C-alpha cells in the first residue's frame, strides 16, 4: 500500500511548547504539592468551622470556601509560571520583586497591622501581604547577580546582591516581621552557598547575624516574648504552646478522629500557624509523619534536580527556592513542637492564608521553571 494514498503522515513526536512543557515538567514535584494542597483542604474542613465561629461568621464553611479558592489560585499560579523558560522566569521574577518591594515600603506608611507587624494591605474582605512575593523573587534576583561573576568578574556582584538583600531585610525589620526576615536570610544564604560562598563570608555573615539577633531581642519587645517561650518559658504566657503540645500528645498514634480535636477551639490561630497540631491531634502520629515525609521528598527531589543543572544562575536560584519551602515547613513544625519560638510562618500549602498560598505558588512555579529542560529553552546561561 502506498503511504501517500492514505493521507499525510503525522510526525512521531509533537514538538509544540505545551507538549515540551508536559515532557520536561517534574510531575513528581507537582504531585507532592497537589497532595499537600489536598491535605490543606481537608484540614480547613477540620479547623475552619471553629475559626469561623470564633470570629463571628454566620457561614461555618467561610474559611473552607476561601481555602479552596486560594488553593486553586496558588496551584494555578505555580503551573502557569512553570511554563516560562529560564530567561522569562528571571524577567518575571525581577518585575514582581520591584513591584512587591515598592508595596512593602508603602506599607510602612499605610499598612494594616496584624499581630504587631505592619505587613498587610486590606481590600474589602481580603488582606494582601507583599512580602510573600518579595522572598522568592529576591532569591532569583540575587542568584542572577551572583551568576554574573563568571561573565564580568571585575564587577562587585556579591556586594550588589548583598545590597539588595540588605535593603529588603531592612524593610522586613521596620515592619517588623522578624520571622519573615529570618526565613528570607536562610534561603538567601543557601543560594549564596550554592553559588560558591567563600568561607570568610560565612564567618562574617554569622557574626553579623548574631549581633543583629541580640539587638532585635533587646529592642523589640514582641521578639523577646517569643524567644522567651523557648529560653525562659516561666517569664511569658505560653498558653498556645502548651495547648499545642497537649494536642500532639492527645493525638497518639492514630488521632482522636476527624472533628474530635480540642486545640482548634482552644487557640485562635489553629487554622493558620498551628495547623500541624490539629493534624497531630485528629489524625495522629502516622499523619504528621506522612506530612513531614512529603515535605522531605519534595526537598530531596528539588535539591537533586537543582544540583544537576549546569547553568549557574538556574542552579543557585532553584536551590534557594526549594530551601525557602523546606525551611518554612521545618520552622512551622518546629514551633508546634516547641523547639523554636513562634514566628508567624505558615505550613506551606496546608495552612489557611491567601498570601501564603500565592507566595508558595510563585516560589514553586519559579523553581519548576528553572529545573525543567536544562537549558533547552534558555537563550544562554544568564539570559
Amino acid at each position: 500500500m502506498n503511504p501517500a494514498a492514505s493521507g499525510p503522515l503525522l510526525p512521531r513526536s509533537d514538538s509544540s511548547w505545551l507538549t515540551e512543557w508536559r515532557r520536561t515538567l517534574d510531575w513528581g514535584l507537582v504531585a507532592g504539592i497537589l497532595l499537600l494542597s489536598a491535605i490543606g483542604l481537608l484540614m480547613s474542613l477540620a479547623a475552619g468551622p471553629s475559626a469561623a465561629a470564633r470570629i463571628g461568621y454566620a457561614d461555618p464553611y467561610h474559611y473552607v470556601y476561601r481555602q479552596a479558592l486560594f488553593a486553586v489560585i496558588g496551584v494555578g499560579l505555580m503551573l502557569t509560571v512553570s511554563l516560562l523558560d529560564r530567561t522569562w522566569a528571571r524577567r518575571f521574577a525581577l518585575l514582581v520583586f520591584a513591584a512587591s518591594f515598592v508595596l512593602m515600603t508603602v506599607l510602612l506608611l499605610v499598612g494594616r497591622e496584624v499581630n504587631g507587624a505592619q505587613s498587610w494591605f486590606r481590600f474589602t474582605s481580603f488582606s494582601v501581604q507583599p512580602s510573600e512575593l518579595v522572598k522568592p523573587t529576591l532569591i532569583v534576583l540575587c542568584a542572577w547577580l551572583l551568576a554574573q561573576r563568571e561573565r564580568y568578574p571585575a564587577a562587585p556582584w556579591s556586594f550588589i546582591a548583598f545590597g539588595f538583600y540588605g535593603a529588603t531585610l531592612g524593610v522586613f525589620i521596620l515592619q517588623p516581621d522578624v520571622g519573615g526576615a529570618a526565613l528570607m536570610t536562610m534561603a538567601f544564604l543557601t543560594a549564596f552557598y550554592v553559588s560558591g560562598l567563600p568561607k570568610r563570608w560565612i564567618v562574617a555573615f554569622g557574626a553579623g547575624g548574631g549581633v543583629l539577633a541580640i539587638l532585635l531581642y533587646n529592642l523589640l519587645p514582641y521578639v523577646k516574648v517569643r524567644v522567651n517561650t523557648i529560653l525562659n518559658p516561666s517569664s511569658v504566657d505560653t498558653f498556645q504552646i502548651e495547648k499545642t503540645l497537649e494536642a500532639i500528645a492527645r493525638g497518639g498514634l492514630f488521632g482522636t478522629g476527624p472533628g474530635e480535636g480540642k486545640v482548634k477551639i482552644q487557640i485562635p490561630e489553629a487554622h493558620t500557624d498551628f495547623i500541624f497540631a490539629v493534624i497531630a491531634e485528629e489524625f495522629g502520629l502516622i499523619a504528621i509523619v506522612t506530612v513531614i515525609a512529603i515535605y522531605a521528598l519534595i526537598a530531596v527531589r528539588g535539591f537533586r534536580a537543582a544540583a544537576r543543572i549546569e547553568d549557574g544562575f538556574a542552579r543557585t536560584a532553584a536551590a534557594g527556592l526549594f530551601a525557602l519551602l523546606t525551611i518554612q515547613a521545618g520552622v512551622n513544625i518546629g514551633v508546634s513542637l516547641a523547639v523554636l519560638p513562634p514566628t508567624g510562618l505558615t505550613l506551606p500549602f496546608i495552612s489557611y492564608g491567601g498570601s501564603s498560598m500565592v507566595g508558595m505558588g510563585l516560589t514553586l512555579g519559579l523553581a519548576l521553571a528553572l529545573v525543567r529542560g536544562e537549558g533547552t529553552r534558555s537563550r544562554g546561561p544568564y539570559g
Side-chain angles (χ1 to χ4, degrees):
M1 181 177 178
N2 184 1
S6 61
L9 293 176
L10 294 175
R12 285 183 174 273
S13 62
D14 180 1
S15 59
S16 70
W17 64 271
L18 183 60
T19 300
E20 188 179 9
W21 170 75
R22 292 205 314 264
R23 188 186 303 123
T24 57
L25 187 65
D26 192 326
W27 289 101
L29 287 171
V30 174
I33 298 305
L34 292 177
L35 186 53
L36 290 176
S37 300
I39 293 172
L41 290 174
L42 174 63
M43 297 317 301
S44 71
L45 283 169
S50 298
R54 181 170 54 250
I55 295 175
Y57 290 112
D59 186 356
Y61 297 105
H62 172 83
Y63 287 110
V64 179
Y65 298 143
R66 289 165 69 102
Q67 178 76 356
L69 174 63
F70 296 151
V72 170
I73 294 173
V75 172
L77 177 62
M78 177 186 75
L79 295 176
T80 301
V81 174
S82 73
L83 289 165
L84 301 173
D85 66 18
R86 290 174 183 169
T87 298
W88 281 104
R90 172 179 59 79
R91 292 171 178 170
F92 178 69
L94 299 190
L95 288 173
V96 174
F97 172 80
S100 52
F101 182 83
V102 169
L103 289 175
M104 284 185 67
T105 58
V106 172
L107 272 172
L108 298 177
L109 301 175
V110 300
R112 176 175 178 245
E113 185 173 314
V114 178
N115 294 332
Q118 199 161 322
S119 307
W120 302 81
F121 284 111
R122 181 76 176 181
F123 300 101
T124 63
S125 60
F126 290 91
S127 296
V128 178
Q129 190 175 15
S131 61
E132 294 295 335
L133 304 180
V134 162
K135 287 178 284 191
T137 53
L138 173 72
I139 298 301
V140 175
L141 167 62
C142 290
W144 177 71
L145 290 171
L146 294 171
Q148 301 306 302
R149 293 178 300 181
E150 296 181 12
R151 295 183 70 184
Y152 309 106
W157 297 109
S158 297
F159 288 100
I160 296 172
F162 265 98
F164 277 102
Y165 159 75
T168 308
L169 178 68
V171 178
F172 269 93
I173 298 301
L174 289 173
Q175 287 187 345
D177 181 4
V178 176
L183 173 63
M184 181 189 70
T185 298
M186 288 185 281
F188 172 78
L189 282 179
T190 300
F192 210 109
Y193 176 79
V194 171
S195 75
L197 176 68
K199 292 182 179 179
R200 64 180 183 275
W201 285 77
I202 298 176
V203 174
F205 206 94
V211 172
L212 180 60
I214 293 172
L215 287 174
L216 293 176
Y217 177 82
N218 288 284
L219 295 176
L220 297 179
Y222 95 97
V223 173
K224 178 175 288 189
V225 169
R226 292 188 176 189
V227 172
N228 281 345
T229 60
I230 302 299
L231 298 182
N232 188 16
S234 62
S235 66
V236 296
D237 180 10
T238 57
F239 176 79
Q240 287 198 117
I241 296 298
E242 291 172 2
K243 293 302 177 184
T244 297
L245 292 176
E246 289 174 7
I248 294 173
R250 194 160 47 241
L253 185 61
F254 298 107
T256 59
E260 299 299 320
K262 297 179 181 179
V263 71
K264 62 191 179 187
I265 302 172
Q266 295 171 331
I267 62 177
E269 297 176 341
H271 63 309
T272 55
D273 298 359
F274 293 98
I275 194 67
F276 187 79
V278 180
I279 300 173
E281 183 179 23
E282 299 196 3
F283 296 94
L285 179 64
I286 292 177
I288 59 175
V289 169
T290 300
V291 169
I292 293 173
I294 295 171
Y295 284 116
L297 289 172
I298 291 173
V300 170
R301 191 179 183 98
F303 285 125
R304 289 182 63 184
R308 289 193 294 265
I309 301 173
E310 295 181 2
D311 178 356
F313 153 65
R315 181 176 60 251
T316 299
L321 292 169
F322 284 115
L324 197 62
L325 169 76
T326 305
I327 295 169
Q328 180 164 333
V331 169
N332 179 277
I333 293 170
V335 170
S336 294
L337 296 175
V339 296
L340 292 173
T343 60
L345 297 176
T346 58
L347 190 59
F349 292 103
I350 294 181
S351 293
Y352 171 82
S355 293
S356 173
M357 192 72 75
V358 170
M360 277 298 153
L362 177 63
T363 300
L364 268 295
L366 289 169
L368 288 169
L370 293 169
V371 300
R372 70 180 182 88
E374 288 208 19
T376 58
R377 289 161 301 284
S378 181
R379 296 180 184 177
Y382 311 108

